[in-house]
Amino acid sequence: MMKKNFRLFITSDIISQLGAGMILVALNWYIIDIYHSNSLIAIVANINVVAGMFISLIAMGVLKCINAKWLAISSYCFRIFFIVLALVLFKMNLDKKLAIYLLALSGGIGWNLYFPASKDILNSFTAEDNTLQINSFAEISMQVGLLAATLFSGILYRYVGFENILVIGIILFVSSLLIFSAVKYSKQNKIKVDEKVKLFPYLLKEKWLLLLGIVLYIPFIGTNVITTALPGYIKDHLSGNSINYGITDTMYGVGACLASFVLPFIVKYFNKEKLILFLFAFSIILGTVLSLNQKLSLAIGYIFLLGMVEPVIRTIMYTRTMQIVPSTLLGAIVAFWNFINLILQFFANYGVGKVMDEVGPQWGFIIYAGLMIVGSLIFMGIKKSYKTT
């Protein structure tokens, strides 16, 4: 039964990520294509972020007392509702910027309800000896969905148009919702947290976990910076088109899938903490090289390598988190970390959009490299607690 539920969960997750990724890639290219504005991409990203901050606070509270499956189902409903509303505005040729903002809300509300709830559900499938494998497989499922999305989105944008991509996205989310609804999930110990361990007293006692959350989420912020920077970088810096953009973004997913697949074998031979520091250093070098790059073919290769870096950091650190944090608090702590991440993401998005418009599109990757430097320094500061707790 558990294997069947896990298969259903992973299948629904792949389809969901396919829909979300396809709409995100197409939306970013639509903004560059029609409005020629990196700042507008950053504004859209920050609407997503602000909505996510609000939703993360809600998720932090409700995950302690309601079933995570119903929270995830509500995330699908919000996503579908806002995409349908945006599509109506586009079809009726009404306020197209409002439609763009509604799509940003769809991502902000939908993802930030779904992510902590899905981690709570994923935790129910794990045992002591399969945690890394389960997390690696979950990372693969996410990247497979995003990979397929980026592969097809640029081509679909060119030949069927943005509005039809929204129709496809709605169909994918509805399909994913139907499959996810078949997952059997019940949290056996879903009692009020104050009967066991309280969230904020626990975090005050284990203060280093606040910094762990920042390090864990810096790869997410880095991915978002790449997402914000890449359309302008491809179009204005490298003179590419939507298909070039789709292929380049696809290579990130190829790298991520490959890295997630080989990760369970790699960690048998390398010290995990040293591997994390190496990958942070490697990502800093890649960000710097991308800022200096002038060739589209090389950019594709560098983005592929970046795809191999960030999911590995996330997977290793999240696996360690599941070993450290009490299971009754895991969903709430992930939601709290997500809230902090969104605050940082807001400033990162704003900085990327402004700097790219005023200085040059390649500077988005300088900001990315700086972000990864911060992550490596924080990790070095908490390395002892991370290893021994």
Side-chain angles (χ1 to χ4, degrees):
M1 178 60 75
M2 181 174 289
K3 288 183 179 179
K4 179 184 177 182
N5 283 328
F6 183 64
R7 285 196 297 269
L8 288 170
F9 174 80
I10 290 296
T11 302
S12 70
D13 192 58
I14 291 173
I15 296 171
S16 172
Q17 298 297 344
L18 175 60
M22 191 174 291
I23 290 172
L24 178 61
V25 171
L27 177 61
N28 285 343
W29 192 261
Y30 177 83
I31 292 169
I32 284 291
D33 191 28
I34 303 301
Y35 296 98
H36 308 285
S37 173
N38 293 293
S39 293
L40 182 56
I41 289 181
I43 289 169
V44 167
N46 276 338
I47 290 172
N48 185 311
V49 166
V50 171
M53 288 180 194
F54 177 70
I55 292 300
S56 291
L57 289 175
I58 294 175
M60 196 169 16
V62 299
L63 267 172
K64 295 183 290 185
C65 52
I66 73 168
N67 192 294
K69 179 181 176 180
W70 292 108
L71 193 63
I73 287 174
S74 71
S75 76
Y76 280 103
C77 295
F78 276 114
R79 274 182 156 165
I80 294 166
F81 173 75
F82 282 115
I83 297 169
V84 169
L85 203 55
L87 181 61
V88 170
L89 291 176
F90 277 116
K91 289 292 186 184
M92 297 181 69
N93 204 26
L94 297 174
D95 192 336
K96 292 188 176 181
K97 277 198 175 179
L98 175 59
I100 289 171
Y101 298 151
L102 287 172
L103 291 173
L105 282 175
S106 168
I109 294 174
W111 171 251
N112 289 289
L113 279 176
Y114 176 79
F115 181 71
S118 69
K119 290 301 182 186
D120 217 18
I121 295 169
L122 189 66
N123 190 41
S124 71
F125 300 131
T126 62
E128 189 174 346
D129 59 346
N130 71 350
T131 306
L132 183 64
Q133 288 83 355
I134 289 286
N135 282 314
S136 295
F137 205 87
E139 182 70 31
I140 291 170
S141 79
M142 181 175 76
Q143 296 301 336
V144 164
L146 294 176
L147 167 63
T150 52
L151 179 63
F152 294 118
S153 191
I155 298 171
L156 289 172
Y157 183 89
R158 190 178 182 91
Y159 294 108
V160 307
F162 181 58
E163 292 175 15
N164 287 324
I165 289 176
L166 295 183
V167 174
I168 295 169
I170 292 167
I171 293 170
L172 289 170
F173 277 123
V174 170
S175 302
S176 179
L177 172 59
L178 293 174
I179 296 170
F180 181 81
S181 298
V183 174
K184 298 288 190 292
Y185 167 79
S186 61
K187 185 89 171 189
Q188 304 239 337
N189 296 320
K190 186 59 80 173
I191 60 174
K192 289 186 178 179
V193 172
D194 57 351
E195 292 180 26
K196 285 200 171 184
V197 186
K198 292 183 179 179
L199 174 62
F200 290 107
Y202 176 75
L203 287 174
L204 288 173
K205 180 183 176 183
E206 303 287 348
K207 296 182 181 67
W208 71 277
L209 285 176
L210 297 172
L211 295 175
L212 174 63
I214 293 173
V215 179
L216 176 63
Y217 273 86
I218 274 180
F220 279 101
I221 301 171
T223 300
N224 196 66
V225 167
I226 292 172
T227 300
T228 303
L230 201 56
Y233 179 78
I234 296 294
K235 185 177 177 65
D236 299 327
H237 185 62
L238 300 178
S239 302
N241 57 34
S242 65
I243 294 177
N244 299 140
Y245 168 53
I247 291 171
T248 306
D249 209 11
T250 296
M251 293 311 294
Y252 183 94
V254 173
C257 286
L258 178 61
S260 299
F261 180 76
V262 301
L263 176 60
F265 305 100
I266 291 174
V267 294
K268 294 178 182 178
Y269 303 102
F270 294 94
N271 177 278
K272 295 186 184 73
E273 291 75 31
K274 289 181 180 178
L275 182 59
I276 289 171
L277 286 173
F278 168 77
L279 291 173
F280 268 119
F282 190 49
S283 66
I284 293 163
I285 294 169
L286 286 173
T288 305
V289 169
L290 275 162
S291 71
L292 301 172
N293 175 57
Q294 299 289 332
K295 294 184 178 181
L296 182 62
S297 57
L298 291 177
I300 292 171
Y302 297 143
I303 292 295
F304 166 77
L305 292 173
L306 275 182
M308 296 187 71
V309 168
E310 295 177 3
V312 173
I313 297 175
R314 287 200 301 261
T315 304
I316 292 175
M317 296 193 72
Y318 188 72
T319 299
R320 182 71 180 122
T321 298
M322 292 174 75
Q323 295 168 348
I324 295 169
V325 175
S327 60
T328 51
L329 281 180
L330 184 62
I333 284 180
V334 168
F336 178 76
W337 282 343
N338 198 41
F339 176 74
I340 301 299
N341 151 60
L342 290 167
I343 294 173
L344 298 174
Q345 197 169 295
F346 179 91
F347 291 106
N349 289 338
Y350 180 80
V352 168
K354 281 291 184 184
V355 168
M356 287 180 68
D357 278 340
E358 294 179 10
V359 183
Q362 69 274 22
W363 276 79
F365 287 99
I366 292 291
I367 294 175
Y368 168 83
L371 183 68
M372 301 309 279
I373 289 172
V374 172
S376 63
L377 291 175
I378 295 174
F379 183 72
M380 283 189 282
I382 65 168
K383 187 179 174 183
K384 184 177 179 181
S385 297
Y386 173 87
K387 189 173 181 179
T388 59
T389 298

